[in-house]
Amino acid sequence: MSKVMRSLGIFGIGGKGATALSAQRPEVLRRKTIANNARLMIAASMVLMPLAMWALIGKSALGFALACVGLTGGMLSLALYHRGRHDDAALAQVVSIIGAGVVLTLVDSRLADMGLTVTLMGPILAALLADKTIRLWSWLSVGGVLLFGAIGSWLSVPTDAALANEAMIAGTFAFGVAVALVAHTTHTINAGYVVHDKAQINTYRHLVDNVQDTVLSFSAEGDILSASPSAEALFGSPRYQLSSASLGERIHVMDRPAYLTAFADANYAGRSRTIEVRMRRDDPHGARGLPLFIWVEVRFSPLKEQTGNGRFEVTALMRDITERKDAEASMAEAKRSAEEALQAKSRFLATIGHELRTPLNAVVGFSEMMTTGIGGELSPTHREYAGLIHQSGKHLLDVVGMLLDMSRIEAGKFEIITARFQPDEIVPACFAMVESMAKGRSITLLAEIEPDLPSLLADERACRQILINLLSNAIKFSHEGDTVTLVVKRQGQSLSFAVRDQGIGMAPVALERIGEPFFQAQDGLNRQYEGTGLGLSIVKGLAELHGGTLRAMSEIGAGTTMTVLLPINGPATKLEETVAVLPLHRETASTPKTSWQNEKRKAQ
């Protein structure tokens, strides 16, 4: 019986109902059992019916009543089964058995022992086929029958001896039918339990035999109990040669402490552990037969049931991760090489910049002296040549300066000195620096500055360089007679410097690469515009040093807007000083944004 009760879980009995496992084989067996029980009740009642009717002619109705109870319960249970109401069908069978016991108890309270015996079969059948509610109800019915019989025996109700004999015969037959139902149900449940266990064992065995990872089973004492076939491919040796000692010898000597610690945690403490160790793989078919160490990921999992000595059996899942480790090593090496190349480039730029600056200063200085006539009057042709030398030297000095700034930013050695200043005060000075360049192309410079701007905590020199680079780029890529506009305004907790031109614009592909060193939209040998491609990368680097961002919005043929956002309170913004901005409305991700400009305009 304990085996039967232990197997009830596979039928969904235990408070969750039987319908939860309707698609599984145990539930199918339970339903077939209910149907067979109903047919058995009908058959037994039909066999009893002729004898009951013969007794009824002799004015003995007890057998006829029991036969009617059995026949009615069996037919009702079978009908409910065919309608798919399997729990109700099981309930009808339990009610029939308890009802037969109640009838026997009502006939003669002194024969309550026979009625109680039949009634007890109802809860047993309910425990095998029904849910928690029906089981509870059936046991309450047994209590009621027992109470009724006790009251009848205490009152010593007189009874007829002939009726008592008839009740004994009919009760014995009813008890036999109830026992047959319970026996049939028990046999079917045992068969389902065995089939279920065998299916699970076969499934587990098939999984272990066909899984690519190696599965090892260890006893509580640490001995290897079994190994999956994939162990031969992992270790390069037959499975029968594996043992705890040989497995320990295969582990790299540097990884043995970690392996033993992880196994002890699973074996003694019952904790799952995952480690990565190096293990030796034999090569019996190789020309030299040299061993090879591979990386193996090992996961130790203790079994739930603890043995008598307080230790756990352990299952180990081993996976070859050599390729992953090689890939990680390759990535680490590639990262190291890239970092070294970046450092070498920065050192080269810094070195070549310093080496070029000294002679260029001499070239610029002496050419300026020649143009001013300090060394004597020059002919117009020589004066023109000296001017070109001076102009080219200044251009080279600007390039060298940008190279040095870029190298310092990439190396993290560009220091910013922050101080409070009014952002509108640096605009005239920046306009003056690019005024000659703008006049040479007949470009108008406009400034739109929001009134009452807060003071900005930033490096004033770096901010001037940001604006000069943005204005120079806008002037260079504008058409003659265009207008370049500088807009300065507050945007939340940041200050926005936006330079808008009406020039050639950029394609979306070029926008994605804005800020890359030495990148130019026109990078061919026949490009129309000169430059090194360092201006925007320096702007982006200086903005990021302040904790800000560089954004670009452009359309081919319609112009470009470059925007730099700098925190008002410097790199570490303090909300108590800036005043937090309360978002009044936030659009959901799925809400399409309305474009107020041309749909072709792209932003980054």
Side-chain angles (χ1 to χ4, degrees):
M1 182 61 70
S2 61
K3 184 177 181 181
V4 173
M5 299 304 293
R6 183 163 58 93
S7 64
L8 295 181
I10 66 175
F11 289 94
I13 301 171
K16 296 183 179 179
T19 57
L21 301 176
S22 58
Q24 300 183 11
R25 180 177 177 84
E27 173 63 16
V28 175
L29 293 175
R30 186 184 80 99
R31 295 177 181 180
K32 290 180 64 176
T33 303
I34 293 173
N36 291 336
N37 285 350
R39 297 186 183 99
L40 182 60
M41 290 178 62
I42 295 173
S45 300
M46 294 298 294
V47 170
L48 178 63
M49 188 61 70
L51 299 175
M53 294 182 67
W54 178 78
L56 182 62
I57 296 174
K59 298 182 180 181
S60 178
L62 181 58
F64 182 75
L66 292 177
C68 289
V69 170
L71 183 61
T72 303
M75 295 181 67
L76 178 61
S77 177
L78 192 60
L80 292 172
Y81 169 80
H82 286 302
R83 289 176 176 237
R85 299 169 58 180
H86 307 99
D87 291 336
D88 293 337
L91 176 61
Q93 297 176 15
V94 174
V95 170
S96 299
I97 295 177
I98 296 177
V102 172
V103 169
L104 291 172
T105 304
L106 289 175
V107 170
D108 187 0
S109 60
R110 290 181 299 178
L111 295 176
D113 290 342
M114 178 57 71
L116 182 61
T117 302
V118 176
T119 306
L120 280 174
M121 293 295 104
I124 295 176
L125 186 63
L128 296 173
L129 294 178
D131 58 14
K132 182 179 180 180
T133 303
I134 297 177
R135 297 201 303 270
L136 178 61
W137 176 87
S138 61
W139 282 111
L140 291 177
S141 300
V142 172
V145 173
L146 181 61
L147 179 62
F148 182 80
I151 293 174
S153 300
W154 181 65
L155 295 176
S156 300
V157 178
T159 184
D160 188 1
L163 184 61
N165 294 331
E166 180 184 353
M168 180 62 70
I169 297 173
T172 302
F173 190 85
F175 178 75
V177 174
V179 169
L181 293 177
V182 172
H184 174 264
T185 304
T186 303
H187 173 74
T188 307
I189 287 179
N190 281 333
Y193 176 76
V194 172
V195 170
H196 184 73
D197 264 12
K198 286 184 177 179
Q200 284 189 329
I201 292 174
N202 291 335
T203 301
Y204 175 76
R205 184 176 300 166
H206 178 78
L207 178 64
V208 170
D209 289 345
N210 293 276
V211 72
Q212 294 183 353
D213 297 339
T214 297
V215 181
L216 298 181
S217 178
F218 294 88
S219 66
E221 291 73 23
D223 298 326
I224 296 180
L225 300 178
S226 62
S228 62
S230 56
E232 297 184 355
L234 181 67
F235 299 117
S237 63
R239 283 187 291 172
Y240 65 83
Q241 294 182 359
L242 286 178
S243 63
S244 299
S246 62
L247 183 61
E249 293 175 354
R250 291 180 177 274
I251 302 173
H252 195 279
V253 65
M254 298 295 293
D255 297 330
R256 290 178 186 177
Y259 177 87
L260 295 176
T261 302
F263 183 83
D265 287 343
N267 187 224
Y268 289 93
R271 294 196 300 264
S272 297
R273 288 288 307 274
T274 301
I275 58 173
E276 295 177 356
V277 296
R278 287 160 290 185
M279 287 189 175
R280 189 185 74 244
R281 173 189 288 170
D282 297 333
D283 186 13
H285 304 293
R288 301 174 60 185
L290 295 178
L292 172 68
F293 277 94
I294 60 174
W295 279 99
V296 178
E297 181 185 76
V298 184
R299 177 172 178 80
F300 292 110
S301 299
L303 298 184
K304 294 182 179 180
E305 296 182 359
Q306 193 174 24
T307 58
N309 57 2
R311 299 166 66 177
F312 296 84
E313 294 185 356
V314 178
T315 300
L317 189 66
M318 299 184 177
R319 175 180 301 175
D320 186 355
I321 58 171
T322 305
E323 293 184 0
R324 192 187 78 189
K325 282 292 186 179
D326 292 342
E328 291 176 357
S330 300
M331 291 180 62
E333 179 63 23
K335 181 181 178 181
R336 187 187 61 81
S337 300
E339 291 176 350
E340 290 181 354
L342 183 61
Q343 293 175 0
K345 184 195 73 172
S346 299
R347 288 195 300 268
F348 169 77
L349 292 177
T351 302
I352 198 67
H354 285 291
E355 292 297 327
L356 289 176
R357 175 170 286 184
T358 301
L360 283 175
N361 282 328
V363 171
V364 172
F366 284 112
S367 62
E368 186 175 1
M369 292 173 60
M370 294 175 65
T371 55
T372 56
I374 294 178
E377 290 295 330
L378 299 177
S379 65
T381 302
H382 290 163
R383 186 180 300 275
E384 179 184 359
Y385 290 164
L388 292 175
I389 293 172
H390 181 264
Q391 182 180 356
S392 299
K394 287 190 65 178
H395 176 70
L396 285 176
L397 274 178
D398 292 339
V399 172
V400 170
M402 287 191 293
L403 286 173
L404 292 176
D405 289 340
M406 193 67 237
S407 63
R408 288 199 298 267
I409 291 174
E410 288 186 346
K413 297 181 179 179
F414 194 103
E415 297 181 1
I416 58 174
I417 303 174
T418 59
R420 288 282 179 184
F421 65 92
Q422 287 299 127
D424 53 341
E425 295 179 354
I426 65 173
V427 175
C430 295
F431 274 14
M433 293 293 294
V434 298
E435 186 176 2
S436 60
M437 181 180 179
K439 286 183 178 180
R441 298 177 57 84
S442 301
I443 291 176
T444 304
L445 298 176
L446 292 179
E448 298 179 2
I449 303 176
E450 186 179 85
D452 300 327
L453 287 175
S455 60
L456 179 65
L457 180 62
D459 189 324
E460 185 175 348
R461 180 182 63 86
C463 291
R464 290 174 185 268
Q465 188 172 357
I466 289 175
L467 292 183
I468 292 172
N469 285 1
L470 293 180
L471 290 170
S472 300
N473 260 19
I475 294 171
K476 182 170 63 174
F477 294 105
S478 295
H479 306 290
E480 291 191 5
D482 285 347
T483 300
V484 173
T485 305
L486 171 62
V487 181
V488 184
K489 62 181 180 180
R490 178 170 181 167
Q491 187 169 330
Q493 300 175 16
S494 302
L495 210 64
S496 170
F497 296 91
V499 177
R500 183 172 64 247
D501 64 60
Q502 302 169 335
I504 60 175
M506 286 184 289
V509 177
L511 279 176
E512 295 177 357
R513 300 185 60 185
I514 284 294
E516 291 185 12
F518 305 103
F519 170 73
Q520 291 179 304
Q522 298 179 354
D523 54 1
L525 296 177
N526 59 345
R527 56 193 174 97
Q528 181 180 357
Y529 302 95
E530 297 181 353
T532 59
L534 290 175
L536 289 180
S537 62
I538 292 175
V539 170
K540 182 179 179 182
L542 293 176
E544 290 177 350
L545 286 176
H546 284 81
T549 56
L550 170 65
R551 298 178 181 176
M553 184 170 59
S554 181
E555 179 185 349
I556 295 179
T560 302
T561 300
M562 306 297 298
T563 304
V564 173
L565 295 176
L566 298 180
I568 293 176
N569 286 328
T573 299
K574 302 175 182 177
L575 294 181
E576 61 272 12
E577 298 180 7
T578 309
V579 181
V581 178
L582 178 65
L584 300 179
H585 174 69
R586 177 178 293 178
E587 292 182 344
T588 60
S590 59
T591 304
K593 295 183 179 179
T594 303
S595 176
W596 56 273
Q597 292 178 336
N598 194 315
E599 292 182 357
K600 295 182 180 180
R601 191 174 294 272
K602 306 292 182 181
Q604 179 175 342

